[in-house]
Amino acid sequence: MKLLRIVLTFLLVCFTSFVIAPKAWAFCGFYVAKADSKLYNQASQVAIARAGNRTVLTMANDYQGEVKDFAIVVPVPVVLQKEQIKVAKPKIIERLDAFSAPRLVEYFDSDPCATNNYLAENRAMEVPAAPAGAAPRIVSNESLGVTVEARYTVGEYDILILSAKESSGLETWLIQNGYKIPKGARNLLKPYIRQKLKFFVAKVNLKEFDKAGYQSLRPIQISYESPRFMLPIRLGMINAKSAQDLIIYLLTPNGQAEVTNYRTVKVPSGSEIPVFVKNEFSDFYKAMFETAYRREDRKVVFMEYAWDMASCDPCSAEPLTPEELRQAGVFWLDNLAPPEAMPNRIIMPPRPYGGIFITRLHVRYTRDKFPEDLMFQETGNRELFQGRYVLRHAFTGKMDCPAGQEYGRSLPRRFEKEAQTLANLTGWDIQDIRKKLPQIQAQWLPWWKRIWLGRIGG
């Protein structure tokens, strides 16, 4: 009875939305699959919780290789205290990913003979379109212009906060102290030194890593105050042999976040596509994203999701709990910041669930198309958006009424439209797509198409 009550409640909500506001009904549906970060061989993920001038940045790297070789260098605006650095739980990034991933949903057509209002209903249902073990020299090297401002061990990481006067000196210092920095790094380090930024440098403490028994590196989380709402991405291009995928989860109190120095474009969404895509959704989404990426000349930031975190529709994962949100860096829950990192209260406008809006951005970047770091701003726009793709299954039962006859005759046109949409979104060959379309009963096909398609003789 409990399950039945839940299903009935869901259907009632969808029906009510349909009656009151037809466009809202399009967000109801049965969740089928999601396009999460696992689709990409190399995809870094970053979560940024931001309110006022305060930021909590969580970095989950897609590092592949021996952990002894891992190191990251991140420009930061201030010298971080040890209490402002922590190791986050990998699960929190997975939860953000699952909650916000583009999704596939499906509907099932009802029996057209069960109602005399099929055609009107059908129109309303349409969806809008270093040497191992070598210890770093924790000393100031005046000849290179590098100063170690602070050093910590946090979890399985050894952390240094550096300042530098010249990019060539910083590059040399890092190499001499066992950090594998490729040639040419000085050109990417130079702008940050000019801006008087510090450098957060982390490498794995092998003793701590082995003692803890971890199988992979956990995300690093830092908290700081700065008027700059930005994410440095240029250093990530040093080792890049091809375009890099970066997925960013922006958590803000008032509305959508967007990139100010590149165009923010919504990923194509809302299209009805052939039902066979249910078994090929990963291939579909990768092809669709690549096609959109090239059409936009490879220099835009794609929005894949924007939603109030108090709800989801359809839900590919349950909304995060207050405790999970705190783990993700949302320090303004209950209008109270964590005392160790954010000692002052932040007064926010009262909102349900603490006022938390998530914006998921997907950046595929190369050095020539993204010469600048990403600069963000929070907006007051609370419009809901999701990358969402619709499967609509045809009714396959007996249809011995005029409405059923009309419905059957409409299916070839509908399937062809879905095929054309899929080809346009992905660049896939239309003939290959047509071969996978549902087989229509012969009586619904024009006599000439029956001959050409070989579905029946004569």
Side-chain angles (χ1 to χ4, degrees):
M1 288 299 294
K2 182 177 180 181
L3 177 60
L4 177 61
R5 188 163 59 248
I6 293 173
V7 172
L8 288 175
T9 300
F10 170 79
L11 294 176
L12 178 61
V13 170
C14 287
F15 180 76
T16 303
S17 300
F18 168 63
V19 171
I20 297 174
K23 289 185 179 180
W25 191 88
F27 283 105
C28 296
F30 296 91
Y31 160 74
V32 182
K34 62 179 180 289
D36 57 22
S37 62
K38 296 182 181 69
L39 290 186
Y40 307 99
N41 292 328
Q42 292 185 331
S44 297
Q45 300 178 77
V46 175
I48 306 176
R50 170 86 174 184
N53 285 341
R54 296 174 176 180
T55 298
V56 179
L57 172 64
T58 307
M59 299 169 285
N61 292 278
D62 64 332
Y63 182 75
Q64 299 173 0
E66 296 291 333
V67 294
K68 65 182 178 62
D69 296 328
F70 171 83
I72 60 170
V73 181
V74 180
V76 291
V78 295
V79 175
L80 301 175
Q81 303 301 311
K82 184 175 183 179
E83 292 75 17
Q84 293 173 271
I85 309 166
K86 63 179 292 187
V87 179
K89 296 180 179 180
K91 188 72 175 177
I92 198 59
I93 295 291
E94 295 174 12
R95 290 282 284 118
L96 289 168
D97 184 21
F99 179 82
S100 64
R103 59 211 61 199
L104 186 66
V105 297
E106 60 184 353
Y107 302 98
F108 294 83
D109 287 354
S110 59
D111 181 354
C113 294
T115 174
N116 293 325
N117 298 320
Y118 163 73
L119 292 178
E121 177 184 347
N122 189 50
R123 284 193 293 269
M125 286 174 60
E126 291 181 359
V127 181
R137 306 176 201 169
I138 312 301
V139 295
S140 174
N141 191 322
E142 294 183 1
S143 63
L144 295 176
V146 176
T147 301
V148 178
E149 305 283 357
R151 64 173 182 178
Y152 316 110
T153 295
V154 180
E156 63 268 32
Y157 295 100
D158 286 331
I159 310 292
L160 298 178
I161 310 296
L162 305 177
S163 61
K165 296 179 180 179
E166 299 289 341
S167 59
S168 58
L170 179 57
E171 179 186 44
T172 301
W173 191 96
L174 290 168
I175 293 173
Q176 287 182 354
N177 284 268
Y179 295 91
K180 294 188 175 182
I181 304 298
K183 293 180 179 179
R186 67 182 63 181
N187 293 329
L188 296 176
L189 293 168
K190 188 180 298 182
Y192 302 114
I193 294 175
R194 193 182 301 125
Q195 297 173 56
K196 301 187 183 303
L197 295 179
K198 311 302 180 184
F199 295 89
F200 174 92
V201 181
K203 65 190 301 186
V204 177
N205 183 309
L206 294 176
K207 181 178 179 180
E208 293 295 325
F209 183 80
D210 293 338
K211 184 169 65 176
Y214 298 119
Q215 299 301 312
S216 59
L217 295 175
R218 296 183 296 170
I220 301 175
Q221 189 173 83
I222 60 177
S223 307
Y224 58 86
E225 294 190 39
S226 172
R228 303 183 187 187
F229 188 7
M230 56 89 72
L231 181 66
I233 63 171
R234 283 175 295 177
L235 291 182
M237 302 176 188
I238 296 177
N239 290 314
K241 297 179 180 179
S242 59
Q244 303 291 295
D245 281 289
L246 172 64
I247 297 175
I248 309 166
Y249 313 99
L250 292 152
L251 305 171
T252 49
N254 298 312
Q256 292 182 12
E258 62 184 14
V259 177
T260 61
N261 55 334
Y262 298 99
R263 284 198 303 130
T264 302
V265 176
K266 292 177 180 176
V267 73
S269 178
S271 301
E272 288 192 13
I273 53 180
V275 294
F276 74 80
V277 175
K278 181 175 181 177
N279 297 321
E280 303 179 22
F281 187 51
S282 293
D283 292 337
F284 158 76
Y285 193 82
K286 286 189 286 188
M288 186 279 300
F289 187 90
E290 177 68 21
T291 301
Y293 167 69
R294 293 189 178 277
R295 285 176 178 168
E296 295 289 351
D297 196 27
R298 302 178 295 156
K299 56 183 179 183
V300 301
V301 176
F302 285 99
M303 178 188 291
E304 292 183 322
Y305 193 79
W307 212 271
D308 191 305
M309 293 208 70
S311 65
C312 52
D313 178 17
C315 296
S316 59
E318 288 298 315
L320 278 68
T321 66
E323 178 55 32
E324 288 176 323
L325 289 167
R326 290 186 179 92
Q327 291 176 17
V330 179
F331 54 87
W332 60 90
L333 276 180
D334 306 318
N335 291 333
L336 185 64
E340 70 278 7
M342 305 292 181
N344 302 318
R345 287 179 64 87
I346 290 185
I347 306 301
M348 296 291 172
R351 291 187 183 279
Y353 210 62
I356 305 159
F357 205 93
I358 181 171
T359 307
R360 176 188 175 116
L361 302 179
H362 186 164
V363 188
R364 180 168 291 174
Y365 63 95
T366 56
R367 191 179 302 185
D368 60 328
K369 296 295 185 177
F370 281 80
E372 301 176 356
D373 293 324
L374 301 179
M375 309 298 295
F376 305 104
Q377 68 177 6
E378 182 189 15
T379 73
N381 182 4
R382 297 186 65 82
E383 177 187 1
L384 305 179
F385 172 79
Q386 57 182 256
R388 175 178 171 278
Y389 311 92
V390 180
L391 308 180
R392 188 148 65 95
H393 295 266
F395 181 76
T396 57
K398 186 177 181 180
M399 297 174 288
D400 53 358
C401 67
Q405 298 287 323
E406 177 61 26
Y407 171 82
R409 286 190 291 269
S410 73
L411 290 178
R413 293 190 301 272
R414 175 173 127 191
F415 293 160
E416 176 63 19
K417 181 179 179 181
E418 292 173 352
Q420 294 285 352
T421 298
L422 181 60
N424 182 60
L425 287 173
T426 62
W428 290 350
D429 185 88
I430 187 66
Q431 298 300 333
D432 292 338
I433 294 173
R434 286 173 178 152
K435 293 175 183 178
K436 299 180 182 181
L437 295 178
Q439 299 295 302
I440 307 300
Q441 294 182 23
Q443 64 265 33
W444 308 131
L445 295 173
W447 64 270
W448 48 268
K449 184 170 283 190
R450 287 182 250 167
I451 296 173
W452 290 354
L453 296 182
R455 300 274 173 92
I456 64 172

